[in-house]
Amino acid sequence: MIIKILCVMVAGLAGGLAVGSGFVAFLTVLGIVPRLTQLTKTINRIRHYEWAVVLGAILGGWVSLADTIFYLPSLILIPIGLASGIFNGMLAAALTEVLNVLPILSKRIGVQEKIVVLMMAIVLGKVIGSLFQWIFFVDL
């Protein structure tokens, strides 16, 4: 029994380290914190941004693992969902911009002149997928 518990602890620690390292590498490659301080002209508050990222990751992990349920009214959930969707979409857009995914993809599949159509297909696919999830799988 003790060996089983130790194996689960080691697997959880290894998984956490892998995900955490990937998250830090992702933030470093995108340069989110320095770019944010540059755009907002608040370089003197860079430690606050870093701590916000760290505490957000810890709180998000705790809420996810603890299976916490927040009983909020539907009218409050709508702006939270909208802000979450905007954040995820902008983060995905920043990643594709940094990695130059769309120009490389369009060149590989031979649709360079139709890059706008390709981008609209991705955007509409994300919107329709999100709406499908919210309509069929979210109980308000």
Side-chain angles (χ1 to χ4, degrees):
M1 183 68 166
I2 293 176
I3 293 176
K4 184 178 180 181
I5 293 171
L6 287 174
C7 287
V8 169
M9 288 172 61
V10 169
L13 181 64
L17 286 173
V19 170
S21 300
F23 180 67
V24 168
F26 180 69
L27 289 178
T28 304
V29 166
L30 289 180
I32 289 176
V33 174
R35 182 73 177 135
L36 184 63
T37 59
Q38 207 175 34
L39 289 173
T40 59
K41 297 177 179 59
T42 54
I43 192 75
N44 58 339
R45 299 191 192 272
I46 194 164
R47 293 284 179 216
H48 294 113
Y49 289 117
E50 291 170 350
W51 276 105
V53 169
V54 169
L55 293 175
I58 291 170
L59 182 66
W62 177 75
V63 167
S64 174
L65 289 174
D67 201 22
T68 306
I69 297 173
F70 296 110
Y71 296 99
L72 299 172
S74 299
L75 290 176
I76 293 177
L77 290 177
I78 291 170
I80 291 173
L82 184 64
S84 177
I86 290 171
F87 173 77
N88 288 328
M90 296 300 278
L91 193 62
L95 181 61
T96 57
E97 182 181 330
V98 167
L99 298 178
N100 294 324
V101 171
L102 292 178
I104 293 170
L105 178 66
S106 66
K107 187 176 182 179
R108 295 272 167 112
I109 62 176
V111 291
Q112 289 172 318
E113 62 278 352
K114 300 287 185 182
I115 190 83
V116 174
V117 175
L118 179 65
M119 289 174 56
M120 287 307 295
I122 292 170
V123 169
L124 290 175
K126 294 288 286 179
V127 169
I128 292 170
S130 296
L131 286 174
F132 180 80
Q133 178 188 2
W134 273 92
I135 290 170
F136 290 106
F137 295 116
V138 176
D139 296 325
L140 294 178

